[in-house]
Amino acid sequence: MSITKQQVIERFLPDTPLPGTTADAFAPSNIALCKYWGKRDAELNLPINASLSVSLGELGSRTSITPVDADSDQVFLNGELLAADSSFARKVIRFVDLFRRDLRQPLSIRTENNIPTAAGLASSASGFAALMLALDQFYQLGLEPARLSAFARMGSGSASRSIFDGFVEWHKGSREDGMDSCAERLDIEWPGFRIGLLKVATGVKKVDSRSGMQRTVESAALYASWPQQAGRDLATIKRALADRDFELLGATAEQNALSMHATMIASWPPLLYWQPESVAAMHRVWELRSLGVEVYLTMDAGPNLKLLYQTADEAAVLDAFPELSDLDLVAPFG
Ligand code: DP6
């Protein structure tokens, strides 16, 4: 049995817990350019490979925590009080419990997501990162960014990257307690970098990332080549970022995403997150590229596409994808 989250966290908390005050924190959502797929430790969410993402600026989650005069915790999502046994409320309370120790004061925990629901983006990364930042304030923990990132990772792997803005690398680490498996902001600004959130299918029931990656690692022979490819892609993407080489960056990110999907498809039972509309949109991206527009795609564990392009190509991208509204266009550097 490996070390538990609770055991790891307790080592870094003050000896005497300070009573909670109030807290209000924001964390951005993020999209990986080199994907995290596969865990070497499911309890701590330790990844098999390192990954690299871009944070989505002002799109993300805001979480506030206040003591409440009630018999038990209250969890709100987008203004609505959730049933205590709902899956979101249970996840939030389980995470808060890791930091609460014997302070039994019931709390009101409110999360607001400003990611357009229509964009079909998962909010667990920004949600756990914002919750971690709020817990750090609330219990006056004064944790360093790297520790906040390692702890947020225990909520959801990709949350480790949402502690930071801009381009972010999540080191896979090698320690058993995972404390070196944390993210770091890369010192790169790219003002013209844009992301288009292309929602192509609604109401599709999906297998979540946690079970999807477990199934892939356990059943896809093709997965054996993934860690090596991810390592190579990460190095290439870092080089492309340093050189502001958009073509190399886009091509590597697109191939990385499609390679991850290839391992998913090679799982049993097969995991095909794409819908017919996803494939049609991929062909539109490739068609546009053949006309000279530098646009690339990436996809996560769902049917939607994220388009990567630069401001100079925005008009051409909007022409080809008229369904993109202003709300779907993200400028990570403002
Ligand atoms: C395909 O971070 O949601 O989006 O650690 O089980 O919570 P858990 O998984 P999660 O997985 C994200 C997978 C991905 C790729 C990525 O964001 O790197």
Side-chain angles (χ1 to χ4, degrees), residues 32 35-37 39 45 156-158 161 209-210 213 300-301:
K35 307 292 184 188
Y36 147 53
W37 197 249
K39 301 181 198 215
N45 289 335
S156 178
S158 51
R161 301 184 307 234
S209 298
R210 169 168 285 266
M213 53 182 102
D300 293 311

Side-chain angles (χ1 to χ4, degrees), residues 258-274:
L258 295 177
S259 302
M260 174 184 72
H261 280 272
T263 70
M264 298 163 164
I265 296 166
S267 304
W268 197 262
L271 261 179
L272 180 63
Y273 285 102
W274 305 344

Side-chain angles (χ1 to χ4, degrees), residues 10-287:
E10 265 168 17
R11 290 186 197 156
F12 297 94
L13 298 182
D15 294 339
T16 318
L18 293 167
T21 52
T22 60
D24 183 24
F26 171 81
S29 185
N30 77 76
I31 285 169
L33 302 175
C34 179
K35 307 292 184 188
Y36 147 53
W37 197 249
K39 301 181 198 215
R40 64 173 195 280
D41 183 311
E43 161 74 11
L44 303 177
N45 289 335
L46 297 178
I48 288 177
N49 64 282
S51 57
L52 191 151
S53 61
V54 57
S55 286
L56 300 191
E58 287 165 10
L59 288 187
S61 307
R62 176 168 295 283
T63 298
S64 67
I65 306 179
T66 47
V68 67
D69 191 10
D71 295 338
S72 58
D73 295 327
Q74 297 180 342
V75 177
F76 293 82
L77 178 59
N78 294 333
E80 196 189 316
L81 177 62
L82 301 182
D85 61 353
S86 71
S87 105
F88 185 88
R90 289 203 346 250
K91 274 193 230 165
V92 166
I93 292 170
R94 228 183 287 139
F95 195 73
V96 170
D97 282 345
L98 293 168
F99 296 88
R100 156 142 65 188
R101 296 187 283 172
D102 52 359
L103 299 169
R104 286 290 131 201
Q105 165 73 57
L107 304 175
S108 161
I109 303 144
R110 292 175 177 265
T111 302
E112 307 279 338
N113 290 327
N114 69 357
I115 307 156
T117 352
L121 266 186
S123 49
S124 71
S126 56
F128 276 108
L131 180 58
M132 185 61 242
L133 292 168
L135 285 165
D136 181 60
Q137 278 178 27
F138 188 77
Y139 290 123
Q140 305 172 67
L141 303 176
L143 294 167
E144 318 245 301
R147 294 216 167 125
L148 292 168
S149 169
F151 289 171
R153 184 236 315 131
M154 296 186 206
S156 178
S158 51
S160 65
R161 301 184 307 234
S162 274
I163 293 291
F164 304 98
D165 285 326
F167 294 106
V168 178
E169 178 177 358
W170 171 14
H171 304 284
K172 66 178 174 175
S174 58
R175 288 172 56 117
E176 196 209 349
D177 70 1
M179 290 310 287
D180 56 351
S181 182
C182 54
E184 175 188 15
R185 185 190 202 280
L186 301 177
D187 187 18
I188 290 160
E189 299 280 324
W190 196 326
F193 192 93
R194 292 287 180 277
I195 298 164
L197 305 173
L198 189 68
K199 173 123 179 154
V200 297
T202 45
V204 185
K205 188 174 178 295
K206 68 170 210 170
V207 177
D208 67 25
S209 298
R210 169 168 285 266
S211 24
M213 53 182 102
Q214 189 185 349
R215 189 189 299 180
T216 309
V217 173
E218 285 170 1
S219 68
L222 213 52
Y223 185 78
S225 65
W226 168 256
Q228 215 187 355
Q229 157 143 21
R232 248 189 343 257
D233 291 345
L234 182 87
T236 308
I237 289 174
K238 284 176 79 171
R239 199 170 68 240
L241 285 174
D243 297 346
R244 305 293 190 277
D245 183 340
F246 188 76
E247 193 179 341
L248 182 63
L249 177 70
T252 312
E254 181 171 311
Q255 196 179 16
N256 179 271
L258 295 177
S259 302
M260 174 184 72
H261 280 272
T263 70
M264 298 163 164
I265 296 166
S267 304
W268 197 262
L271 261 179
L272 180 63
Y273 285 102
W274 305 344
Q275 290 297 312
E277 299 88 336
S278 318
V279 178
M282 287 184 212
H283 284 288
R284 274 153 78 199
V285 170
W286 296 326
E287 170 70 23

